Amino acid sequence: MGIIKERFKQKADATAEDIKQLLKEHGDKKIGEVQLSQIYQGMRGITGLVSETSLLDSEDGIRFRGYSIPELQEKLPKAPGGSEPLPEGLFYLMLVGELPTEEDVSHMSSVLQRRSHVPNHVFQTIEALPITAHPMTQFVVAIMSLQTESLFAKNYAKGMAKKDYWSSCFDDSMDLIARLPRIAAYIYRRKYRGGDHIQPNGLLDWAGNFAHMMGFEDEGFQELMRLYMTIHSDHEGGNVSAHTTHLVGSALADPYLSFAAGMNGLAGPLHGLANQEVIKWIFELREKIGSESPSQEQIENYVKQTLSEGKVVPGYGHAVLRKTDPRFSAQMEFGKKHMPNDPLVNTVWTIYETVPPILSSIAKIKNPWPNVDAHSGALLVHYGMKEYEFYTVLFGVSRALGVLASLCWDRALGFPLERPKSVSTRLVKKWLNGEAEIWGD
Ligand code: CMX
């Protein structure tokens, strides 16, 4: 057994023992109440899941195993000469629950390099799709075709015992994370660079190699990828991509099937696809006014027009957050350091000054502040990646780190099939009339 796997198992066994004790002593404690409005309105605020890898606070934003983004930037190992964290270090932290040393991260990088081979049929499957297919469609289809490699599925078919689920889940998760950059880069080069593919560089770190395979050799872009892959990786358990991966995995669907399901959710415009929508929306504004640098007044009018057409302002609002997303702030810092005069980045900052007061004046909107997607595209455009339909694939490659680390924990802790109770409006009415109970089977 590899050293990372061994450490993970030790931690998971200790946590499983803790949970057993905790449930024995406190299993009947109430954690909250559920209102009728919550079950009709997206289950906001209902605590119903356990996810060990990260925790979201509505004011402070995300913490990964207790560490904020600035703390990760300070404490996680970096690439030689770089100042952004190596995402494989964050993966180690989410998986093992401890900050990795430089040695741990370089071990993780080489394990991922070793596992990164993508079988030829995956590329053939991508090629079978029309080139016009959305990159997220190509990405999900490619992940599904890679499912032929699932150890979990093979071992389950052979009669694997429950106690061994975690081990195959762990191996599949490592393999999948190792292979995703190659697949995503293939899709990018196929769709936007005439199929001129670039071989991996075995000496680079996971994110640096991803940038290289997409054709971006600029050290600034590689640093951006390290930051990007770090901050998009996880956002506790209830967001659509994490929850879907967890839910599908709870049926013992293998990590390939579970992750592909999560990626279908990420491809929704209220979730990950918002990152393409933001840049599309800004490009349309630029075209409309015939200038690269819209004034605050022009932005204000454009926002009001968007709202009056019954559309959302992309990149703003959040189901949980009630302040500026620290993932937005981290990207803003990156912009200030590397491209303070870039017109598109400056437009993102002017939008940040303009949108919150407008959204604040609309009573139903609970959070007028920007989320992660409001900033990411402008940084990519700066380095020449203008093909915004591809952006959600980048989000997806990063999201694998969090949701697959979580899936390993689900299997190691023996979490069961997830199956909440649903009701019909007919039953709700009967219950309100005192004619029926609302719980039970
Ligand atoms: N622009 C316009 N209206 C907005 C809005 C925005 N940015 N954010 C929320 N609202 C509206 C909602 O559509 C909803 O309207 P209806 O009641 O008419 O349906 C109302 O305000 C209440 O919404 P809320 O409780 O504040 O927010 P929700 O938890 O329902 O939704 C989110 C959260 C993210 C879907 C929403 O803010 C939104 O659509 N934002 C724009 C899309 C976006 O940026 N998504 C990315 C989120 C981050 C990620 O997952 O990547």
Side-chain angles (χ1 to χ4, degrees), residues 293-313:
S293 303
S295 67
Q296 197 156 357
E297 197 190 343
Q298 285 169 320
I299 292 171
E300 202 176 308
N301 291 334
Y302 188 57
V303 170
K304 286 181 179 162
Q305 186 199 325
T306 302
L307 292 169
S308 73
E309 288 169 356
K311 298 189 273 196
V312 296
V313 177

Side-chain angles (χ1 to χ4, degrees), residues 316-324 359 365-370:
Y316 281 76
H318 199 270
V320 179
L321 283 169
R322 295 295 174 257
K323 287 270 169 71
T324 296
L359 296 188
I365 299 180
K366 296 189 192 70
N367 177 32
W369 302 105

Side-chain angles (χ1 to χ4, degrees), residues 75-96:
K75 292 179 196 298
L76 284 178
K78 328 254 179 312
S83 57
E84 298 301 341
L86 287 167
E88 50 269 61
L90 173 61
F91 178 54
Y92 182 102
L93 173 67
M94 290 191 286
L95 195 61
V96 178

Side-chain angles (χ1 to χ4, degrees), residues 44 239 266 269-274 278 307 311-320 322 325 327 359 362 364-367 371-373 395:
R44 298 290 186 286
N239 68 78
L266 193 76
L270 296 188
H271 190 21
L273 204 81
V278 168
L307 292 169
K311 298 189 273 196
V312 296
V313 177
Y316 281 76
H318 199 270
V320 179
R322 295 295 174 257
D325 190 336
R327 299 172 299 175
L359 296 188
I362 302 171
K364 70 176 182 180
I365 299 180
K366 296 189 192 70
N367 177 32
N371 58 57
V372 65
D373 301 315
F395 195 157

